[in-house]
Amino acid sequence: MKHLNLGFIGFGLIGGSIARALKKRGASIRVLVYTRRENPELDKGVSEGVIDELTYEIGDAFSSCDIVFLCTPVKTIVSFLPKLKNVLKPDCIITDVGSVKGDIMKAAKESGLEDRFIGGHPMAGSEKTGYENSTDILLENAFYILTPTEKTSKKNIDTLQAVVIATGAECIILPPDRHDEITAAISHVPHLVAVALVNLVKTNDDEDQLMKYLAAGGFRDITRIASSSPKMWEDICLTNSESIIAFLDKFGNILRSYKEAIEKKSGDYIYEAFDEAGEYRDSIPSKKAGALPVQYDIYVTIDDKAGAIASLASILSAESINIRNIGIVNNREFIDGVLRLELNSKNDADRARELLKKHNYEIVDRN
């Protein structure tokens, strides 16, 4: 990959991770970052060598950029297009990292930037946000979707695709409308379902809050995405409303069919629903990062005695494996393993699993 000057409008979890990954992998790049106000975390990015220059205005500093990444919230991305149009060189590629493509692609066309705008969506993330949570491995093995316009040149697609691949991600090219349809089904609706499940328990719990108390474990795991940024998800729901509504209608029809089957005591229908879902779910690649944040968990069976957790933590610490989160699984009706360890990366999870096995811990593999 040739030397590239990269500009970033906003530099949080995704922008920071893109720059970190490229620099770690030896790409020849210069990173310019625009921010509205002074930010100690971005000053740290400069001292770390991730950021080469900070600027507080959209001006001449961007005139030498080969690619500009728009990394602000979905609804604010479009406001930067007119400003950039006046300062960028004619062959500069503009891309974004938002999870909805329809509005931004339309805005690019209306701004006269259709020939050099390529929509982008790194399918990687975390419940945490901000540059301070960015990593050089966030995009590793993740899908990174590009949505060119009808006027995008093959040269520009190839250039941006090379950058995406250099981050360690897997690049996929899709039409914008197909992208929005897919992400509505596999990301946007699931987030709404998780929120609905949490609020279902919240609004139906008694004063003793037994539902909340007993929900620990599996319920918390399957609804973790309900803790995502409310503002970000407000923007996503309002900008991809057509596709989301279509899949919410389909989801509602499925739930109604389950309700009818339960009312009619139709065991065969219920069995078939679980059987089909289990078979399809097991065919989904488990080693790829997808549209939902990846969580690297290990479930360990340990003795209930003083110092058991401390001993396990010491084994991992001695090998510089950091435990991101740790918890006792109280509700184990459908989950084996008494202790849940959340690690920072697949590599850490794999190392921890092998290390604990060598120390005769029983690891429970869950797919």
Side-chain angles (χ1 to χ4, degrees):
M1 191 176 77
K2 66 177 183 179
H3 175 81
L4 293 171
N5 294 316
L6 306 182
F8 290 83
I9 309 295
F11 203 67
L13 176 73
I14 298 298
S17 294
I18 290 172
R20 285 182 185 276
L22 291 171
K23 291 210 169 185
K24 178 189 177 182
R25 290 166 174 265
S28 178
I29 60 170
R30 184 175 186 277
V31 174
L32 167 70
V33 172
Y34 162 80
T35 180
R36 289 183 300 170
R37 61 179 73 90
E38 292 187 8
N39 184 330
E41 286 299 328
L42 296 188
D43 291 336
K44 183 180 178 182
V46 174
S47 64
E48 291 175 336
V50 178
I51 301 172
D52 295 293
E53 182 182 353
L54 277 175
T55 182
Y56 301 97
E57 60 180 4
I58 307 295
D60 291 341
F62 282 88
S63 62
S64 62
C65 287
D66 300 298
I67 303 173
V68 171
F69 292 85
L70 300 174
C71 303
T72 63
V74 174
K75 290 187 72 174
T76 61
I77 285 176
V78 297
S79 66
F80 289 99
L81 293 176
K83 301 174 185 177
L84 288 169
K85 184 178 180 180
N86 297 323
V87 298
L88 297 181
K89 59 183 182 180
D91 60 346
C92 177
I93 299 169
I94 308 172
T95 187
D96 74 312
V97 298
S99 64
V100 180
K101 298 275 76 80
D103 284 3
I104 184 66
M105 303 300 290
K106 180 181 178 183
K109 182 176 182 178
E110 293 174 347
S111 299
L113 297 169
E114 188 178 11
D115 59 332
R116 48 180 161 151
F117 187 88
I118 303 175
H121 179 197
M123 282 190 162
S126 164
E127 290 82 11
K128 296 181 179 180
T129 59
Y131 171 75
E132 61 271 26
N133 293 302
S134 64
T135 72
D136 54 27
I137 61 170
L138 183 72
L139 300 171
E140 200 169 88
N141 297 316
F143 294 116
Y144 195 128
I145 298 177
L146 296 181
T147 61
T149 72
E150 293 180 355
K151 294 186 177 181
T152 305
S153 68
K154 184 179 184 302
K155 177 184 175 183
N156 282 353
I157 295 174
D158 290 345
T159 297
L160 187 54
Q161 188 173 27
V163 172
V164 167
I165 293 172
T167 67
E170 180 176 334
C171 188
I172 294 177
I173 311 294
L174 286 177
D177 55 348
R178 180 60 175 154
H179 166 275
D180 285 357
E181 179 185 44
I182 290 172
T183 53
I186 66 174
S187 176
H188 304 164
V189 168
H191 275 82
L192 287 169
V193 170
V195 169
L197 287 172
V198 172
N199 286 328
L200 174 71
V201 170
K202 177 178 180 291
T203 56
N204 287 278
D205 211 353
D206 295 329
E207 289 183 4
D208 58 12
Q209 292 197 317
L210 267 178
M211 284 189 182
K212 179 180 179 181
Y213 183 69
L214 296 175
F219 184 85
R220 183 177 173 85
D221 287 346
I222 66 172
T223 59
R224 75 183 192 278
I225 55 177
S227 298
S228 301
S229 165
K231 180 56 182 172
M232 179 182 76
W233 280 96
E234 175 192 352
D235 290 349
I236 288 172
C237 288
L238 296 182
T239 52
N240 197 24
S241 55
E242 185 176 340
S243 293
I244 291 173
I245 289 170
F247 279 101
L248 281 175
D249 285 340
K250 293 177 181 181
F251 185 66
N253 291 335
I254 292 173
L255 288 181
R256 277 188 289 274
S257 72
Y258 295 164
K259 177 175 177 284
E260 291 172 4
I262 294 171
E263 286 174 340
K264 296 176 181 177
K265 308 297 183 184
S266 178
D268 289 345
Y269 190 95
I270 297 166
Y271 179 94
E272 190 66 23
F274 274 90
D275 188 53
E276 286 186 5
E279 184 178 344
Y280 185 77
R281 189 260 183 191
D282 291 344
S283 72
I284 297 173
S286 60
K287 299 185 182 298
K288 298 291 296 184
L292 301 179
V294 178
Q295 192 162 313
Y296 301 101
D297 291 344
I298 297 176
Y299 288 82
V300 187
T301 298
I302 62 171
D303 294 331
D304 184 10
K305 62 182 182 180
I309 295 177
S311 297
L312 181 149
S314 295
I315 291 171
L316 298 183
S317 177
E319 296 296 324
S320 300
I321 300 174
N322 181 54
I323 300 174
R324 182 178 179 184
N325 202 353
I326 189 168
I328 301 293
V329 182
N330 300 105
N331 181 350
R332 297 199 299 281
E333 186 176 1
F334 304 109
I335 300 176
D336 294 323
V338 66
L339 187 71
R340 180 178 68 85
L341 305 177
E342 182 182 344
L343 289 306
N344 288 319
S345 68
K346 181 182 181 300
N347 181 56
D348 280 355
D350 290 342
R351 288 173 58 213
R353 184 179 290 106
E354 292 307 311
L355 187 61
L356 292 176
K357 284 181 178 179
K358 287 181 181 178
H359 284 79
N360 299 317
Y361 284 92
E362 181 184 351
I363 308 298
V364 179
D365 290 319
R366 294 176 59 211
N367 295 320

